[in-house]
Amino acid sequence: MSVTYPADEGELPGRIMSGEMAEQPGMLRRILAEGAPAIRAVASEVAARNPRFVLLTARGTSDNAALYAKYLIEITLGLPCGLASMSTTTAYGAKPDLRDVLVITVSQSGGSPDLVASTKAAREAGAVTLAVTNNPDSPLAAVSEYHIDILAGPEKALPATKTYTASLLSLYLFVEGLRGGDGAAAAILPELAEAVLARKDEVKALASRYRFAERMVITSRGYGYPTAKEAALKLMETSYIPALSYSGADLLHGPLAMVDNISPVIAVVTDGRGGEALQPVLDRLRGRGADLFVVGPKAQVRAASAGFVLPTAGVAEEVQPILEILPLQMLAYEVTIARGQDPDAPRALAKVTETH
């Protein structure tokens, strides 16, 4: 089944982003067929080092992929895992003891100076370092002991789409490899991703609800929380709509007060324990009359103002985020086009962000 989203017609705004979104099913197949053996080999070597703790380092979209890895590592491996604050080493010169610590740095380009510097410092401090990038020839790959190529292919649109899902799948296969798993739960993803991306007309119709939105709130729990953060980032960088992402638990601790029947709320409802944990939050949102848009199972979408039904039956909860983000990427694209803007080239952004 071939997916085109939308047809390439000359210089249409967003044609690059739409083309890269459409590449994702084929890219997922490529990772499973060509990338998985190399990922398993790296995982086997890292597992033999018996790390006692994991630190994840990233920025932007890659930071959301790293957060997904944090859930995987803590839930499936039982290892404590944290998100690193790079400025402690790059700005303050701290020298933590990182012996027996696995430091995973996630970066699409592998070129940001602070990521390279913090990874180099981590290796000098005794860490086992792994770079997960779309560029095996990058400075980050060069300073890391191990490297995983996410095999996404060149990504030209400024909003990252295919490199995000490629990072998620690569990180899932790596964590599976650490525990001796085969990653079989991911085999169904390319086919389902193709089916989701084919529903572009459905998303276009939904996007018309949010063309004039002045603010959005996006929430989830568990494995869906990184999806909420990534969706918020995509909406902000393409359509310029302020989009606030919260864990459902955090939403109840104050931010719920700003929810009304005007500002849309998007809830990412993972089919599993994360969705169950989010249920009280959904009840509170409905009680406040929120314009609730749900991405998730059919039963949850039926109880909302609007939504997108995900094909989650038989899909392991830990790989559902690879599907969850797809309609939200399309939503960001369609809302941006409806507002007369070009999602390929958001203002004030560069493909490689050189933070220090």
Side-chain angles (χ1 to χ4, degrees), residues 107-116 135 138-140 352-354:
S107 171
Q108 299 153 38
S109 68
S112 186
D114 59 347
L115 293 169
V116 175
N135 184 2
S138 63
L140 178 60
V352 179
T353 304
E354 295 194 353

Side-chain angles (χ1 to χ4, degrees), residues 31-54:
I31 295 169
L32 291 171
E34 302 172 19
I39 294 172
R40 280 195 297 269
V42 170
S44 178
E45 289 193 33
V46 171
R49 305 281 289 273
N50 196 28
R52 60 182 171 85
F53 191 90
V54 182

Side-chain angles (χ1 to χ4, degrees), residues 145-326:
E145 188 173 358
Y146 299 101
H147 177 257
I148 288 174
D149 185 352
I150 64 172
L151 299 177
E155 188 173 60
K156 297 180 180 179
L158 286 176
T161 54
K162 64 178 182 173
T163 52
Y164 179 69
T165 49
S167 297
L168 295 191
L169 180 54
S170 298
L171 288 163
Y172 167 74
L173 293 173
F174 172 70
V175 175
E176 277 288 285
L178 287 179
R179 69 185 190 98
D182 60 6
I188 197 173
L189 293 175
E191 178 184 349
L192 294 179
E194 212 161 39
V196 169
L197 289 168
R199 294 161 61 188
K200 56 183 179 291
D201 290 341
E202 183 181 339
V203 176
K204 187 173 183 177
L206 289 166
S208 65
R209 295 172 59 94
Y210 308 116
R211 178 180 178 184
F212 299 108
E214 296 182 359
R215 180 185 68 205
M216 287 187 177
V217 174
I218 308 178
T219 188
S220 189
R221 295 216 48 191
Y223 284 114
Y225 181 41
T227 307
K229 291 177 68 66
E230 175 62 10
L233 177 59
K234 283 293 150 290
L235 283 161
M236 286 189 287
E237 69 183 351
T238 57
S239 69
Y240 317 140
I241 297 174
L244 308 173
S245 59
Y246 295 99
S247 157
D250 288 332
L251 184 63
L252 297 182
H253 285 269
L256 185 68
M258 70 177 173
V259 173
D260 53 30
N261 61 356
I262 298 174
S263 298
V265 178
I266 298 175
V268 180
V269 186
T270 304
D271 192 357
R273 294 187 182 184
E276 292 168 6
L278 189 63
Q279 193 58 53
V281 182
L282 299 176
D283 293 340
R284 291 285 297 277
L285 289 169
R286 282 189 287 264
R288 290 188 61 80
D291 178 0
L292 181 60
F293 177 107
V294 165
V295 174
K298 183 182 293 186
Q300 296 290 351
V301 172
R302 283 176 176 169
S305 307
F308 187 98
V309 177
L310 279 178
T312 56
V315 181
E317 182 178 359
E318 59 267 28
V319 297
Q320 288 179 35
I322 298 170
L323 299 176
E324 288 168 351
I325 192 59
L326 300 179

